[in-house]
Amino acid sequence: MKPRAPRAPAKGGLRNKPANASSAPRHGLARVLSKQGLCSRTEAARWIQDGRVEVAGRIVRDPEFPIRSDGAQRILVDGHAIDAAPRLYLMLNKPRGLVTSTQDERGRDTVYRCFDGAGLPWLAPVGRLDKASEGLLLFSNDPAWAAGITDPDTGPLKTYHVQIDTVPDERVLTALVDGVDAEGERLRAASVRMLRSGERNAWLEIVLDEGRNRQIRRLLAAVDIAVLRLVRVAIGELVLGELPKGQWRLLELAEAQALFSNVHVHDS
């Protein structure tokens, strides 16, 4: 029987990799720059498209250009080799009326107004507070740390003091912990207790063990309660304390490490 000739690989099919090809995972160039803590991914994409970034001696304008994770490809920004920025961790007492965003398409003031003139490197919000909410808001240029803090399953507990437009009875407080249906979603608090009350309103302490958009406002609205004021006072063991409104401070490394290790596990 005449031996069969080797079949040519089909067009577009798999081919053997060269022996010296790297098997290291690859990530988009903009993502690599942002993971170094140098800037946001959006800003990195802008740098790349503006021709400010070189990879292995040539300018790259594609933010998704694949970069090997083993660091073998030399990356320059404005002609300078990139180095991971020193990791910073910061807490802000967010005032009411500011948007938690680097930029706002509607021209509203953002939380970055609080850092004007401080000379800080690029820092991203770690979690969010809506425009009408106040209190403890974290920032960092450490993406891994930020991901751990904001993880909905294992991130630290978050404590809020909430002024409401009524004086609830124990039945309502129990319902908030047991869970209520809100817009087709089941919402609940880890714990709720009365702090103080007057004739027409009250302050509650509400602790959340998960993070959902406008969770407290939606949870209370589901039992016909309106929020008058909402202040986040603690994340894990890190408390807002006496930090003045609109002011910030850097966290000590021990504080940042303790916060990262302060995880919880949901009840099944």
Side-chain angles (χ1 to χ4, degrees):
M1 184 176 182
K2 186 177 180 179
R4 181 178 299 172
R7 178 180 297 176
K11 186 176 180 180
L14 297 176
R15 301 173 186 267
N16 292 330
K17 292 182 179 180
N20 62 350
S22 170
S23 59
R26 295 172 183 263
H27 303 292
L29 179 55
R31 178 185 177 192
V32 170
L33 292 177
S34 69
K35 290 293 185 183
Q36 293 293 311
L38 300 171
C39 57
S40 68
R41 193 178 300 191
T42 299
E43 184 69 13
R46 190 175 299 117
W47 292 358
I48 295 163
Q49 291 163 348
D50 288 345
R52 297 173 56 188
V53 181
E54 297 178 33
V55 178
R58 69 183 182 92
I59 292 176
V60 173
R61 296 181 183 271
D62 178 7
E64 297 304 319
F65 182 84
I67 297 295
R68 285 162 44 184
S69 60
D70 57 9
Q73 293 164 287
R74 180 174 170 82
I75 302 173
L76 304 180
V77 177
D78 295 332
H80 300 285
I82 65 167
D83 293 309
R87 299 310 192 188
L88 292 180
Y89 313 91
L90 177 151
M91 61 183 287
L92 168 72
N93 185 349
K94 175 192 175 296
R96 186 172 184 168
L98 298 183
V99 180
T100 305
S101 175
T102 54
Q103 293 181 328
D104 182 66
E105 68 281 357
R106 294 163 57 184
R108 296 173 295 180
D109 284 336
T110 78
V111 289
Y112 287 88
R113 189 185 73 180
C114 299
F115 306 142
D116 285 348
L120 291 168
W122 173 79
L123 298 170
V126 180
R128 307 183 74 81
L129 285 172
D130 63 40
K131 181 182 176 183
S133 299
E134 313 164 49
L136 180 55
L137 183 61
L138 297 173
F139 293 78
S140 182
N141 59 356
D142 184 340
W145 183 83
I149 300 303
T150 57
D151 187 289
D153 295 321
T154 61
L157 300 172
K158 298 174 180 65
T159 304
Y160 301 80
H161 287 177
V162 186
Q163 185 183 28
I164 58 176
D165 68 344
T166 187
V167 180
D169 57 27
E170 194 62 34
R171 176 185 57 83
V172 172
L173 300 184
T174 299
L176 296 175
V177 175
D178 290 343
V180 298
D181 292 320
E183 301 168 344
E185 189 175 10
R186 189 73 175 173
L187 300 178
R188 55 175 290 278
S191 68
V192 179
R193 70 183 180 95
M194 185 90 74
L195 293 174
R196 58 187 180 275
S197 64
E199 292 184 1
R200 299 182 178 180
N201 58 65
W203 280 89
L204 305 179
E205 180 181 86
I206 299 179
V207 179
L208 299 182
D209 58 3
E210 57 184 357
R212 304 192 191 188
N213 184 43
R214 298 175 60 85
Q215 183 171 349
I216 290 178
R217 296 180 190 279
R218 294 165 58 212
L219 174 66
L220 291 170
V223 290
D224 297 320
I225 294 176
V227 172
L228 303 178
R229 191 175 173 197
L230 191 156
V231 184
R232 183 155 64 196
V233 298
I235 298 176
E237 299 301 317
L238 182 68
V239 298
L240 183 61
E242 300 300 318
L243 185 66
K245 193 171 301 296
Q247 299 297 304
W248 58 270
R249 73 170 178 86
L250 294 174
L251 301 187
E252 300 289 341
L253 182 58
E255 290 179 303
Q257 291 174 335
L259 191 59
F260 189 76
S261 63
N262 183 15
V263 299
H264 68 274
V265 177
H266 288 295
D267 295 331
S268 57

